[in-house]
Amino acid sequence: MTNIAFIGLGIMGSPMAVHLANAGHRVAGYNLDMDRAKPLVEAGGLAAGSIADAVKDADVVCVMVPDSPDVELVLAGPDGVFQNAPTGALVIDFSSIRPDVTIELAAQARANGFRLLDAPVSGGQAGAENAALSIMVGGEAEDFQTAKPLFDRVGKTIVHVGGNGAGQTVKAANQLIVAANIQALSEAVIFLEAYGVDTKAALEVLGGGLAGSAVLNQKKENMLSRSFAPGFRIDLHHKDMGIVTAAAREAGVVVPLGALVAQLVASARANGDGGLDHSALLRGVERLSGKEIG
């Protein structure tokens, strides 16, 4: 049994924490909205009243919060992990943030006697609930091996991709690919509908060929039914596309398709769709095509 603190019990963090508790670990969870701790408590975990309370006895501290400033506050803030967790604890940051921020936080962690892995995930809410996430891990190989049994409880494809920051870099590439796929699928759906094709049947056959993808499999029903309850919000993908375009510029890499998709994601957000699932990029295609918004 490992003593685990889990900071951030949202759509992704809550089921991940529950899986760890179900595996027999002692899990103390903290979230700003403590109602989000109910599933963890029902699984035998603990609801902590603060970050300090959650991490005070932790061997491992897991973090799953929205953005770079949130991670910085959780780890390096005055009431954060570095000030309150036992020296030597392993910090696993499942959040998707800027690679340069991760590298700086890893340096701060070492200076304070901690170890840090950046371990952003892909797979959305369904992947978190089914313990089928892809996890791209940056950090020391020895720390990766220590954490591997925990990763195995929440993920299916777990790969050590390099040193600190590498996990976040791979996640940025992932978000570029996913956004481009969702946009292409959205355009295909509106195109098919315009010609009166049986769109469900069309997507079935497309999914069996080279056009098939995890995005098509997971997002086609959202688009067909115009049901955009968030599994991964456009707000968060907007943040991730900002990471992609900024990091690409710093590296001197040209991402023209990425830049275009980033603008389409920004447009969706500006039109009030930020709280919807990223499959709601379909609504942007409808707007541009002069169609009634579904």
Side-chain angles (χ1 to χ4, degrees):
M1 183 185 72
T2 301
N3 287 339
I4 300 171
F6 208 108
I7 313 301
L9 302 173
I11 288 174
M12 302 291 289
S14 176
M16 293 170 71
V18 167
H19 290 315
L20 293 171
N22 286 338
H25 299 293
R26 179 186 180 275
V27 182
Y30 174 75
N31 198 73
L32 290 175
D33 176 6
M34 286 310 297
D35 285 343
R36 300 291 308 187
K38 289 179 181 178
L40 175 60
V41 172
E42 291 170 358
L46 305 171
S50 65
I51 294 173
D53 186 34
V55 306
K56 62 183 181 183
D57 297 316
D59 305 305
V60 176
V61 178
C62 299
V63 180
M64 177 59 102
V65 293
D67 204 349
S68 301
D70 305 301
V71 177
E72 289 176 310
L73 184 62
V74 167
L75 296 185
D79 299 313
V81 173
F82 295 160
Q83 295 296 318
N84 292 284
T87 301
L90 175 62
V91 179
I92 304 174
D93 181 21
F94 289 114
S95 315
S96 296
I97 66 172
R98 287 165 37 196
D100 60 318
V101 171
T102 285
I103 292 169
E104 172 58 29
L105 287 171
Q108 290 185 42
R110 287 190 294 272
N112 284 279
F114 299 98
R115 299 164 290 154
L116 187 144
L117 294 171
D118 48 298
V121 304
S122 180
Q125 182 177 2
E129 291 175 347
N130 296 321
L133 294 166
S134 289
I135 310 176
M136 44 224 81
V137 187
E140 296 294 331
E142 182 179 350
D143 296 334
F144 172 75
Q145 290 302 326
T146 299
K148 184 63 164 53
L150 303 182
F151 291 144
D152 286 337
R153 292 296 182 176
V154 298
K156 185 176 181 181
T157 303
I158 301 113
V159 181
H160 181 226
V161 295
N164 284 120
Q168 298 297 351
T169 303
V170 175
K171 178 59 187 289
N174 179 88
Q175 295 305 81
L176 167 59
I177 294 168
V178 170
N181 269 267
I182 292 176
Q183 181 65 28
L185 178 59
S186 298
E187 293 178 15
V189 167
I190 299 303
F191 171 73
L192 291 165
E193 290 178 346
Y195 276 91
V197 173
D198 182 336
T199 310
K200 185 173 184 178
L203 294 180
E204 181 180 351
V205 70
L206 290 173
L210 191 58
S213 68
V215 164
L216 192 156
N217 291 338
Q218 291 186 29
K219 300 302 180 180
K220 63 183 179 181
E221 291 302 327
N222 297 48
M223 294 183 181
L224 290 170
S225 64
R226 304 305 201 263
S227 300
F228 301 117
F232 188 80
R233 291 182 286 117
I234 282 174
D235 278 338
L236 291 175
H237 217 134
H238 173 70
K239 176 261 298 183
D240 290 342
M241 293 309 294
I243 292 172
V244 170
T245 52
R249 181 175 180 176
E250 290 172 9
V253 174
V254 177
V255 287
L257 179 58
L260 174 58
V261 176
Q263 291 300 307
L264 293 168
V265 174
S267 174
R269 187 169 179 264
N271 277 281
D273 291 345
L276 301 180
D277 186 75
H278 50 181
S279 54
L281 286 178
L282 177 83
R283 289 162 55 89
V285 182
E286 289 177 324
R287 290 187 190 97
L288 291 171
S289 302
K291 305 291 186 182
E292 182 178 348
I293 305 298

